[in-house]
Amino acid sequence: MYETYYGLSDKPFRLRPDPHFFFGSKGHKRAMAYLDYGLSHGEGFIVITGEVGAGKTTLVRNLFNQMPSDKIVAAHIVNTHLDADDTLRTVVAAFGLPYENASKTAMLTRLEQFLRACDQEGKRALLVVDEAQNLTPRAVEELRMLSNFQTDEKSLLQTFLLGQPEFRTTLHSAGMQQLRQRVTASYHLGPMDAEETRAYIEHRLKTVGWHDDPTFSDNAHAAIYEYSGGIPRKVNGLCDRLLLMGYLEELHALKEKDVEAVISDIQQEYQLPPGAAPVLAAGPFPGLETAGAAAPHSLDNPGYMDERMMKMEKSMSSVLSILKKIVSSLPAPAQPADHRQE
């Protein structure tokens, strides 16, 4: 909707992770350096933690884009509400191996054969586990056990664990000593500072052909940073709504008051009505519910938010089209009679 109005080739602030828009802040560059170091090291565990929306998944997808597919076979696990038995099954499935109705022994054998076949072809196997904070200690231990697959010279499987800060509690618990000994590098991805947040916004805009339309005042940038705290996903959500409002209001210069108006709208939309009970999100097991968990319909669900914004834009576009038709169909106003004497 607003892309055409501002001459942009695409939406610059989609919530879903997209390596095409990767921005190398100081923190993201360091995190990528740790991941690259891990790849070159070829064994053990690399641990990256960060707040919700900090850009961990974007890091992984950027890594996959740069990874030589002829040398590394990678599997990415994002559903981590798993028990120990499900963990092995999920890993086997992630590498494209048959797992249905297979015993644990059969799955371990298939996985080992696959890893050894990769090694014989001169390839390495990489397992990337996202949302690692959801893993139980037993599931983490199951992943550690898989690192025992090795030849006389090297390990056959390397694992990257990415999660929210609470994963470090699991990592430093009493039973995780053996895993900690196999962690070759660990890094916490923090938020961007104010200067980086501004550069991040301009980078995403320029990626889709922005030429200073609309402009953002210094105070607007400051308000965006204050609201988002330098968390990329929060920046994206706010700026997407800001550009939509700019289009609807026909603005070409966005100021602090415009940012504050959008923030107010967002806060009102996610405020519970008086007396309403909080929605319980689906827990890790079907049929159970967990209070405080990330709900499917939440700000922390990029896919849902993108879909919601698209529906809102289509709805607004339809309303605007109807209004334009109504206006164009109205009869022209009558001209005042000329009462001058001949």
Side-chain angles (χ1 to χ4, degrees):
M1 180 184 280
Y2 62 71
E3 305 96 294
T4 302
Y5 184 72
Y6 289 122
L8 307 176
S9 61
D10 197 0
K11 293 185 68 172
F13 297 107
R14 294 186 186 277
L15 294 180
R16 66 172 180 266
D18 187 343
H20 180 61
F21 289 99
F22 178 76
F23 174 73
S25 69
K26 292 191 292 280
H28 288 83
K29 284 180 179 178
R30 290 195 65 182
M32 279 301 302
Y34 275 92
L35 294 177
D36 288 336
Y37 168 79
L39 281 180
S40 64
H41 203 62
E43 63 179 355
F45 291 78
I46 302 291
V47 176
I48 303 290
T49 56
E51 300 292 343
V52 175
K56 301 181 295 296
T57 304
T58 302
L59 281 174
V60 172
R61 296 190 179 181
N62 188 58
L63 180 73
F64 283 175
N65 273 4
Q66 299 177 3
M67 194 179 298
S69 58
D70 59 331
K71 295 181 181 180
I72 298 176
V73 179
H76 188 192
I77 294 176
V78 294
N79 180 15
T80 51
H81 284 293
L82 308 169
D83 58 26
D85 293 336
D86 286 336
T87 300
L88 174 60
R89 194 175 303 276
T90 302
V91 171
V92 170
F95 280 112
L97 304 175
Y99 63 91
E100 293 183 356
N101 302 319
S103 66
K104 183 173 183 177
T105 301
M107 287 189 291
L108 286 170
T109 300
R110 288 172 188 171
L111 183 58
E112 182 177 14
Q113 291 173 344
F114 170 77
L115 295 175
R116 293 191 180 280
C118 289
D119 181 57
Q120 292 171 1
E121 296 173 5
K123 299 180 179 180
R124 291 193 288 115
L126 172 66
L127 176 65
V128 177
V129 181
D130 224 332
E131 304 296 343
Q133 76 280 351
N134 296 327
L135 295 169
T136 64
R138 286 189 59 201
V140 174
E141 177 64 11
E142 191 75 20
L143 291 174
R144 185 196 68 79
M145 293 293 291
L146 296 181
S147 67
N148 289 331
F149 289 128
Q150 46 192 294
T151 65
D152 293 337
E153 299 84 18
K154 58 188 173 182
S155 175
L156 294 175
L157 178 65
Q158 183 178 26
T159 304
F160 290 176
L161 299 172
L162 292 89
Q164 295 171 26
E166 51 265 36
F167 177 63
R168 292 183 176 271
T169 303
T170 301
L171 186 62
H172 291 282
S173 60
M176 293 290 114
Q177 182 177 356
Q178 292 190 66
L179 176 64
R180 290 196 299 273
Q181 291 174 351
R182 300 192 185 194
V183 174
T184 57
S186 177
Y187 181 72
H188 180 74
L189 178 62
M192 300 178 291
D193 60 27
E195 184 178 342
E196 287 179 320
T197 301
R198 179 174 187 144
Y200 171 83
I201 292 169
E202 293 178 350
H203 165 76
R204 293 189 73 103
L205 286 166
K206 289 176 181 177
T207 301
V208 294
W210 175 66
H211 295 290
D212 294 323
D213 183 21
T215 59
F216 292 70
S217 71
D218 291 341
N219 288 340
H221 277 292
I224 293 170
Y225 175 71
E226 183 179 356
Y227 169 81
S228 67
I231 298 295
R233 188 181 298 166
K234 294 190 73 174
V235 174
N236 289 356
L238 175 56
C239 287
D240 189 55
R241 290 287 293 270
L242 183 61
L243 290 180
L244 178 58
M245 189 199 76
Y247 160 70
L248 294 174
E249 300 291 333
E250 299 185 351
L251 302 176
H252 292 277
L254 300 174
K255 303 183 183 301
E256 180 182 16
K257 63 181 180 63
D258 304 314
V259 178
E260 291 175 347
V262 173
I263 292 172
S264 177
D265 288 345
I266 292 173
Q267 291 172 340
Q268 289 179 20
E269 288 173 12
Y270 292 97
Q271 186 175 7
L272 285 174
V279 177
L280 295 179
F285 302 101
L288 298 180
E289 294 180 331
T290 305
H297 303 319
S298 73
L299 283 172
D300 294 333
N301 187 323
Y304 166 71
M305 288 301 296
D306 265 345
E307 180 182 352
R308 187 172 182 272
M309 286 301 299
M310 288 176 64
K311 288 181 178 178
M312 287 177 63
E313 289 185 6
K314 289 179 180 178
S315 177
M316 290 180 180
S317 181
S318 298
V319 171
L320 287 173
S321 297
I322 293 171
L323 288 173
K324 288 178 181 177
K325 289 180 180 178
I326 292 173
V327 171
S328 62
S329 63
L330 292 175
Q335 297 297 323
D338 191 346
H339 296 292
R340 292 176 299 175
Q341 296 292 328
E342 291 291 340

